[in-house]
Amino acid sequence: MGFRQSENLVYHNTKAKIYPDGQQKIMVCSKPIFKSECWEQVDKYEQEKVPVSKPKDMSNEVRGDSLKRAKEACFDIAYCNEFRWFITWTLDQQKIDRFDPKEISKKLRKFLNHKVERNDAWYIVIPEYHSDGKGIHMHGLLSGDFDMVDSGKETSEGKTIYNMPQWKYGWSTAIELDGSKVAVAKYITKYVTKDFKKIFGSFYYAGGKGLIRKPVVQLLDTDFEAVKADKIFKPSEWNIKYKYIDINEQAAENTAAILRAIGEVEYVYG
């Protein structure tokens, strides 16, 4: 016996993302648009007859949709994981061609893989062009077994600016994170903008041992009119309305503090 996806899909009007601190992002639509995957049991003969699905054609994908998903993915990774450092890596033209995305991507991947193996690192790194639109540098969030070096400088808020000796391709800074995870997650997504380009063929690199990429997601059915939200959106191209309930930063901090105080077990992710 085996399983295949059922053609009888079930749709819901509410999607809730549940984060490790108990906070949720909730989208409620006036119509059921979120489909849940249903599976049905089939015997071996029927299973063999199931055709292989064709790859999704992304050639006509709306760029704005792709950008929105990238921003949401970056936020989820930043908020679901315990990162220690906000890092910036620049490139020295004497050590690497900072104008060549292919060369940079190859060496960056090798560097990150090495840090995962040697320093138990986990990370999210977003490449960005300089203001001249040519040279490349990176921003990101990082954790792992690293010995940062005090640069002797501070931020305008008085935080120590460190350097990362392991980064051999140019200048580096590392600032230790100690504030709200919501603020950090929202801050890192600002580097994914409408002018953003897939420099390395991807919006970002993320990886490492135990990295959580997505929060728990629940699909529900709720009364659209009964849900209270600050804003109601109605995209011009859709015949639906939706309400979006975002994470409240202060509430997230309070919830996290309560969970820590009572020793609550966090959500387990697959």
Side-chain angles (χ1 to χ4, degrees), residues 189-213:
T189 61
K190 84 181 186 69
Y191 292 104
V192 184
T193 68
K194 65 180 180 180
D195 297 322
F196 191 88
K197 299 178 181 178
K198 291 185 179 181
I199 299 173
F200 300 147
S202 175
F203 285 109
Y204 61 90
Y205 284 167
K209 299 177 180 178
L211 184 82
I212 301 171
R213 293 181 178 272

PDB file of all heavy atoms in Angstrom, residues 189-213:
ATOM      1  N   THR A 189      14.939  41.928   7.462  1.00  0.00           N
ATOM      2  CA  THR A 189      14.145  41.857   6.231  1.00  0.00           C
ATOM      3  C   THR A 189      14.183  43.154   5.442  1.00  0.00           C
ATOM      4  O   THR A 189      13.815  43.172   4.267  1.00  0.00           O
ATOM      5  CB  THR A 189      12.673  41.504   6.530  1.00  0.00           C
ATOM      6  OG1 THR A 189      12.102  42.510   7.367  1.00  0.00           O
ATOM      7  CG2 THR A 189      12.566  40.159   7.206  1.00  0.00           C
ATOM      8  N   LYS A 190      14.633  44.236   6.065  1.00  0.00           N
ATOM      9  CA  LYS A 190      14.672  45.508   5.334  1.00  0.00           C
ATOM     10  C   LYS A 190      15.684  45.474   4.192  1.00  0.00           C
ATOM     11  O   LYS A 190      15.611  46.274   3.264  1.00  0.00           O
ATOM     12  CB  LYS A 190      14.991  46.665   6.281  1.00  0.00           C
ATOM     13  CG  LYS A 190      16.458  46.902   6.566  1.00  0.00           C
ATOM     14  CD  LYS A 190      16.672  48.044   7.520  1.00  0.00           C
ATOM     15  CE  LYS A 190      18.152  48.364   7.695  1.00  0.00           C
ATOM     16  NZ  LYS A 190      18.742  48.950   6.473  1.00  0.00           N
ATOM     17  N   TYR A 191      16.601  44.515   4.244  1.00  0.00           N
ATOM     18  CA  TYR A 191      17.583  44.398   3.169  1.00  0.00           C
ATOM     19  C   TYR A 191      16.998  43.698   1.940  1.00  0.00           C
ATOM     20  O   TYR A 191      17.629  43.677   0.886  1.00  0.00           O
ATOM     21  CB  TYR A 191      18.823  43.648   3.665  1.00  0.00           C
ATOM     22  CG  TYR A 191      19.598  44.440   4.694  1.00  0.00           C
ATOM     23  CD1 TYR A 191      19.533  44.119   6.049  1.00  0.00           C
ATOM     24  CD2 TYR A 191      20.369  45.537   4.307  1.00  0.00           C
ATOM     25  CE1 TYR A 191      20.230  44.856   6.991  1.00  0.00           C
ATOM     26  CE2 TYR A 191      21.062  46.282   5.251  1.00  0.00           C
ATOM     27  CZ  TYR A 191      20.988  45.938   6.589  1.00  0.00           C
ATOM     28  OH  TYR A 191      21.660  46.681   7.519  1.00  0.00           O
ATOM     29  N   VAL A 192      15.821  43.130   2.098  1.00  0.00           N
ATOM     30  CA  VAL A 192      15.116  42.555   0.947  1.00  0.00           C
ATOM     31  C   VAL A 192      14.077  43.582   0.518  1.00  0.00           C
ATOM     32  O   VAL A 192      13.001  43.674   1.091  1.00  0.00           O
ATOM     33  CB  VAL A 192      14.430  41.217   1.307  1.00  0.00           C
ATOM     34  CG1 VAL A 192      13.781  40.597   0.074  1.00  0.00           C
ATOM     35  CG2 VAL A 192      15.418  40.265   1.926  1.00  0.00           C
ATOM     36  N   THR A 193      14.397  44.377  -0.486  1.00  0.00           N
ATOM     37  CA  THR A 193      13.544  45.486  -0.888  1.00  0.00           C
ATOM     38  C   THR A 193      13.064  45.312  -2.322  1.00  0.00           C
ATOM     39  O   THR A 193      13.434  44.369  -3.020  1.00  0.00           O
ATOM     40  CB  THR A 193      14.320  46.815  -0.790  1.00  0.00           C
ATOM     41  OG1 THR A 193      15.359  46.828  -1.795  1.00  0.00           O
ATOM     42  CG2 THR A 193      14.957  46.969   0.584  1.00  0.00           C
ATOM     43  N   LYS A 194      12.244  46.264  -2.772  1.00  0.00           N
ATOM     44  CA  LYS A 194      11.714  46.198  -4.139  1.00  0.00           C
ATOM     45  C   LYS A 194      12.819  46.324  -5.186  1.00  0.00           C
ATOM     46  O   LYS A 194      12.642  45.932  -6.335  1.00  0.00           O
ATOM     47  CB  LYS A 194      10.676  47.302  -4.346  1.00  0.00           C
ATOM     48  CG  LYS A 194      11.238  48.721  -4.259  1.00  0.00           C
ATOM     49  CD  LYS A 194      10.149  49.757  -4.467  1.00  0.00           C
ATOM     50  CE  LYS A 194      10.701  51.171  -4.393  1.00  0.00           C
ATOM     51  NZ  LYS A 194       9.648  52.192  -4.606  1.00  0.00           N
ATOM     52  N   ASP A 195      13.960  46.884  -4.800  1.00  0.00           N
ATOM     53  CA  ASP A 195      15.089  47.019  -5.723  1.00  0.00           C
ATOM     54  C   ASP A 195      16.071  45.859  -5.597  1.00  0.00           C
ATOM     55  O   ASP A 195      17.110  45.846  -6.233  1.00  0.00           O
ATOM     56  CB  ASP A 195      15.832  48.332  -5.452  1.00  0.00           C
ATOM     57  CG  ASP A 195      14.945  49.549  -5.701  1.00  0.00           C
ATOM     58  OD1 ASP A 195      14.158  49.501  -6.658  1.00  0.00           O
ATOM     59  OD2 ASP A 195      15.042  50.508  -4.927  1.00  0.00           O
ATOM     60  N   PHE A 196      15.711  44.890  -4.743  1.00  0.00           N
ATOM     61  CA  PHE A 196      16.612  43.776  -4.474  1.00  0.00           C
ATOM     62  C   PHE A 196      16.738  42.877  -5.703  1.00  0.00           C
ATOM     63  O   PHE A 196      15.789  42.646  -6.432  1.00  0.00           O
ATOM     64  CB  PHE A 196      16.073  42.958  -3.302  1.00  0.00           C
ATOM     65  CG  PHE A 196      17.042  41.939  -2.775  1.00  0.00           C
ATOM     66  CD1 PHE A 196      17.953  42.270  -1.807  1.00  0.00           C
ATOM     67  CD2 PHE A 196      17.023  40.646  -3.245  1.00  0.00           C
ATOM     68  CE1 PHE A 196      18.834  41.339  -1.306  1.00  0.00           C
ATOM     69  CE2 PHE A 196      17.898  39.696  -2.756  1.00  0.00           C
ATOM     70  CZ  PHE A 196      18.804  40.055  -1.780  1.00  0.00           C
ATOM     71  N   LYS A 197      17.929  42.379  -5.913  1.00  0.00           N
ATOM     72  CA  LYS A 197      18.187  41.471  -7.017  1.00  0.00           C
ATOM     73  C   LYS A 197      18.701  40.142  -6.471  1.00  0.00           C
ATOM     74  O   LYS A 197      19.371  40.101  -5.450  1.00  0.00           O
ATOM     75  CB  LYS A 197      19.226  42.069  -7.974  1.00  0.00           C
ATOM     76  CG  LYS A 197      18.800  43.382  -8.606  1.00  0.00           C
ATOM     77  CD  LYS A 197      19.899  43.937  -9.504  1.00  0.00           C
ATOM     78  CE  LYS A 197      19.476  45.259 -10.118  1.00  0.00           C
ATOM     79  NZ  LYS A 197      20.545  45.839 -10.969  1.00  0.00           N
ATOM     80  N   LYS A 198      18.372  39.066  -7.154  1.00  0.00           N
ATOM     81  CA  LYS A 198      18.882  37.759  -6.754  1.00  0.00           C
ATOM     82  C   LYS A 198      20.347  37.663  -7.186  1.00  0.00           C
ATOM     83  O   LYS A 198      20.671  37.072  -8.209  1.00  0.00           O
ATOM     84  CB  LYS A 198      18.057  36.646  -7.387  1.00  0.00           C
ATOM     85  CG  LYS A 198      16.653  36.530  -6.845  1.00  0.00           C
ATOM     86  CD  LYS A 198      15.952  35.311  -7.436  1.00  0.00           C
ATOM     87  CE  LYS A 198      14.555  35.141  -6.889  1.00  0.00           C
ATOM     88  NZ  LYS A 198      13.875  33.949  -7.436  1.00  0.00           N
ATOM     89  N   ILE A 199      21.209  38.251  -6.375  1.00  0.00           N
ATOM     90  CA  ILE A 199      22.614  38.377  -6.737  1.00  0.00           C
ATOM     91  C   ILE A 199      23.256  37.018  -6.980  1.00  0.00           C
ATOM     92  O   ILE A 199      23.994  36.809  -7.937  1.00  0.00           O
ATOM     93  CB  ILE A 199      23.377  39.142  -5.635  1.00  0.00           C
ATOM     94  CG1 ILE A 199      22.783  40.555  -5.494  1.00  0.00           C
ATOM     95  CG2 ILE A 199      24.860  39.225  -5.969  1.00  0.00           C
ATOM     96  CD1 ILE A 199      23.357  41.343  -4.328  1.00  0.00           C
ATOM     97  N   PHE A 200      22.986  36.057  -6.106  1.00  0.00           N
ATOM     98  CA  PHE A 200      23.573  34.732  -6.232  1.00  0.00           C
ATOM     99  C   PHE A 200      22.566  33.725  -6.780  1.00  0.00           C
ATOM    100  O   PHE A 200      22.712  32.525  -6.603  1.00  0.00           O
ATOM    101  CB  PHE A 200      24.088  34.248  -4.874  1.00  0.00           C
ATOM    102  CG  PHE A 200      25.134  35.137  -4.268  1.00  0.00           C
ATOM    103  CD1 PHE A 200      25.215  35.282  -2.896  1.00  0.00           C
ATOM    104  CD2 PHE A 200      26.035  35.835  -5.056  1.00  0.00           C
ATOM    105  CE1 PHE A 200      26.185  36.094  -2.320  1.00  0.00           C
ATOM    106  CE2 PHE A 200      27.005  36.651  -4.493  1.00  0.00           C
ATOM    107  CZ  PHE A 200      27.075  36.783  -3.124  1.00  0.00           C
ATOM    108  N   GLY A 201      21.520  34.220  -7.428  1.00  0.00           N
ATOM    109  CA  GLY A 201      20.463  33.337  -7.891  1.00  0.00           C
ATOM    110  C   GLY A 201      19.480  33.010  -6.786  1.00  0.00           C
ATOM    111  O   GLY A 201      18.583  32.187  -6.954  1.00  0.00           O
ATOM    112  N   SER A 202      19.633  33.655  -5.638  1.00  0.00           N
ATOM    113  CA  SER A 202      18.761  33.439  -4.494  1.00  0.00           C
ATOM    114  C   SER A 202      18.703  34.730  -3.697  1.00  0.00           C
ATOM    115  O   SER A 202      19.641  35.532  -3.720  1.00  0.00           O
ATOM    116  CB  SER A 202      19.303  32.304  -3.623  1.00  0.00           C
ATOM    117  OG  SER A 202      18.536  32.155  -2.460  1.00  0.00           O
ATOM    118  N   PHE A 203      17.609  34.943  -2.991  1.00  0.00           N
ATOM    119  CA  PHE A 203      17.470  36.153  -2.190  1.00  0.00           C
ATOM    120  C   PHE A 203      18.371  36.119  -0.959  1.00  0.00           C
ATOM    121  O   PHE A 203      18.794  37.148  -0.469  1.00  0.00           O
ATOM    122  CB  PHE A 203      16.017  36.327  -1.732  1.00  0.00           C
ATOM    123  CG  PHE A 203      15.090  36.793  -2.818  1.00  0.00           C
ATOM    124  CD1 PHE A 203      14.153  35.938  -3.353  1.00  0.00           C
ATOM    125  CD2 PHE A 203      15.158  38.082  -3.301  1.00  0.00           C
ATOM    126  CE1 PHE A 203      13.291  36.361  -4.347  1.00  0.00           C
ATOM    127  CE2 PHE A 203      14.304  38.516  -4.298  1.00  0.00           C
ATOM    128  CZ  PHE A 203      13.367  37.651  -4.821  1.00  0.00           C
ATOM    129  N   TYR A 204      18.646  34.917  -0.451  1.00  0.00           N
ATOM    130  CA  TYR A 204      19.428  34.808   0.778  1.00  0.00           C
ATOM    131  C   TYR A 204      20.011  33.408   0.869  1.00  0.00           C
ATOM    132  O   TYR A 204      19.570  32.476   0.184  1.00  0.00           O
ATOM    133  CB  TYR A 204      18.547  35.076   2.003  1.00  0.00           C
ATOM    134  CG  TYR A 204      17.409  34.094   2.145  1.00  0.00           C
ATOM    135  CD1 TYR A 204      17.561  32.920   2.872  1.00  0.00           C
ATOM    136  CD2 TYR A 204      16.174  34.329   1.532  1.00  0.00           C
ATOM    137  CE1 TYR A 204      16.532  32.009   2.981  1.00  0.00           C
ATOM    138  CE2 TYR A 204      15.140  33.420   1.642  1.00  0.00           C
ATOM    139  CZ  TYR A 204      15.322  32.260   2.365  1.00  0.00           C
ATOM    140  OH  TYR A 204      14.301  31.353   2.461  1.00  0.00           O
ATOM    141  N   TYR A 205      21.021  33.255   1.751  1.00  0.00           N
ATOM    142  CA  TYR A 205      21.554  31.943   2.113  1.00  0.00           C
ATOM    143  C   TYR A 205      21.207  31.710   3.584  1.00  0.00           C
ATOM    144  O   TYR A 205      21.386  32.607   4.417  1.00  0.00           O
ATOM    145  CB  TYR A 205      23.071  31.890   1.959  1.00  0.00           C
ATOM    146  CG  TYR A 205      23.564  31.774   0.533  1.00  0.00           C
ATOM    147  CD1 TYR A 205      24.899  31.986   0.231  1.00  0.00           C
ATOM    148  CD2 TYR A 205      22.714  31.444  -0.512  1.00  0.00           C
ATOM    149  CE1 TYR A 205      25.386  31.884  -1.067  1.00  0.00           C
ATOM    150  CE2 TYR A 205      23.176  31.338  -1.813  1.00  0.00           C
ATOM    151  CZ  TYR A 205      24.502  31.555  -2.082  1.00  0.00           C
ATOM    152  OH  TYR A 205      24.963  31.455  -3.372  1.00  0.00           O
ATOM    153  N   ALA A 206      20.738  30.527   3.903  1.00  0.00           N
ATOM    154  CA  ALA A 206      20.454  30.188   5.291  1.00  0.00           C
ATOM    155  C   ALA A 206      20.786  28.718   5.507  1.00  0.00           C
ATOM    156  O   ALA A 206      20.536  27.885   4.638  1.00  0.00           O
ATOM    157  CB  ALA A 206      18.985  30.445   5.634  1.00  0.00           C
ATOM    158  N   GLY A 207      21.369  28.418   6.655  1.00  0.00           N
ATOM    159  CA  GLY A 207      21.714  27.026   6.919  1.00  0.00           C
ATOM    160  C   GLY A 207      22.338  26.866   8.288  1.00  0.00           C
ATOM    161  O   GLY A 207      22.432  27.799   9.070  1.00  0.00           O
ATOM    162  N   GLY A 208      22.791  25.654   8.542  1.00  0.00           N
ATOM    163  CA  GLY A 208      23.409  25.351   9.821  1.00  0.00           C
ATOM    164  C   GLY A 208      22.698  24.224  10.524  1.00  0.00           C
ATOM    165  O   GLY A 208      21.563  23.867  10.187  1.00  0.00           O
ATOM    166  N   LYS A 209      23.359  23.664  11.501  1.00  0.00           N
ATOM    167  CA  LYS A 209      22.823  22.518  12.231  1.00  0.00           C
ATOM    168  C   LYS A 209      21.639  22.938  13.096  1.00  0.00           C
ATOM    169  O   LYS A 209      21.770  23.789  13.962  1.00  0.00           O
ATOM    170  CB  LYS A 209      23.922  21.898  13.090  1.00  0.00           C
ATOM    171  CG  LYS A 209      25.102  21.381  12.260  1.00  0.00           C
ATOM    172  CD  LYS A 209      26.215  20.844  13.123  1.00  0.00           C
ATOM    173  CE  LYS A 209      27.373  20.341  12.262  1.00  0.00           C
ATOM    174  NZ  LYS A 209      28.506  19.847  13.075  1.00  0.00           N
ATOM    175  N   GLY A 210      20.497  22.322  12.827  1.00  0.00           N
ATOM    176  CA  GLY A 210      19.314  22.596  13.632  1.00  0.00           C
ATOM    177  C   GLY A 210      18.592  23.876  13.281  1.00  0.00           C
ATOM    178  O   GLY A 210      17.697  24.301  14.029  1.00  0.00           O
ATOM    179  N   LEU A 211      18.944  24.509  12.165  1.00  0.00           N
ATOM    180  CA  LEU A 211      18.272  25.747  11.789  1.00  0.00           C
ATOM    181  C   LEU A 211      16.788  25.487  11.536  1.00  0.00           C
ATOM    182  O   LEU A 211      16.417  24.568  10.812  1.00  0.00           O
ATOM    183  CB  LEU A 211      18.899  26.342  10.527  1.00  0.00           C
ATOM    184  CG  LEU A 211      18.321  27.704  10.106  1.00  0.00           C
ATOM    185  CD1 LEU A 211      18.973  28.814  10.922  1.00  0.00           C
ATOM    186  CD2 LEU A 211      18.528  27.956   8.615  1.00  0.00           C
ATOM    187  N   ILE A 212      15.938  26.297  12.142  1.00  0.00           N
ATOM    188  CA  ILE A 212      14.495  26.217  11.918  1.00  0.00           C
ATOM    189  C   ILE A 212      14.137  27.202  10.813  1.00  0.00           C
ATOM    190  O   ILE A 212      14.422  28.389  10.925  1.00  0.00           O
ATOM    191  CB  ILE A 212      13.713  26.569  13.197  1.00  0.00           C
ATOM    192  CG1 ILE A 212      14.090  25.616  14.322  1.00  0.00           C
ATOM    193  CG2 ILE A 212      12.207  26.526  12.938  1.00  0.00           C
ATOM    194  CD1 ILE A 212      13.531  26.021  15.671  1.00  0.00           C
ATOM    195  N   ARG A 213      13.533  26.722   9.753  1.00  0.00           N
ATOM    196  CA  ARG A 213      13.203  27.581   8.617  1.00  0.00           C
ATOM    197  C   ARG A 213      11.769  28.098   8.658  1.00  0.00           C
ATOM    198  O   ARG A 213      11.490  29.154   8.103  1.00  0.00           O
ATOM    199  CB  ARG A 213      13.438  26.834   7.300  1.00  0.00           C
ATOM    200  CG  ARG A 213      14.915  26.529   7.048  1.00  0.00           C
ATOM    201  CD  ARG A 213      15.127  25.815   5.734  1.00  0.00           C
ATOM    202  NE  ARG A 213      16.543  25.577   5.496  1.00  0.00           N
ATOM    203  CZ  ARG A 213      17.353  26.434   4.889  1.00  0.00           C
ATOM    204  NH1 ARG A 213      16.882  27.577   4.432  1.00  0.00           N
ATOM    205  NH2 ARG A 213      18.632  26.144   4.720  1.00  0.00           N
TER     206      ARG A 213
END
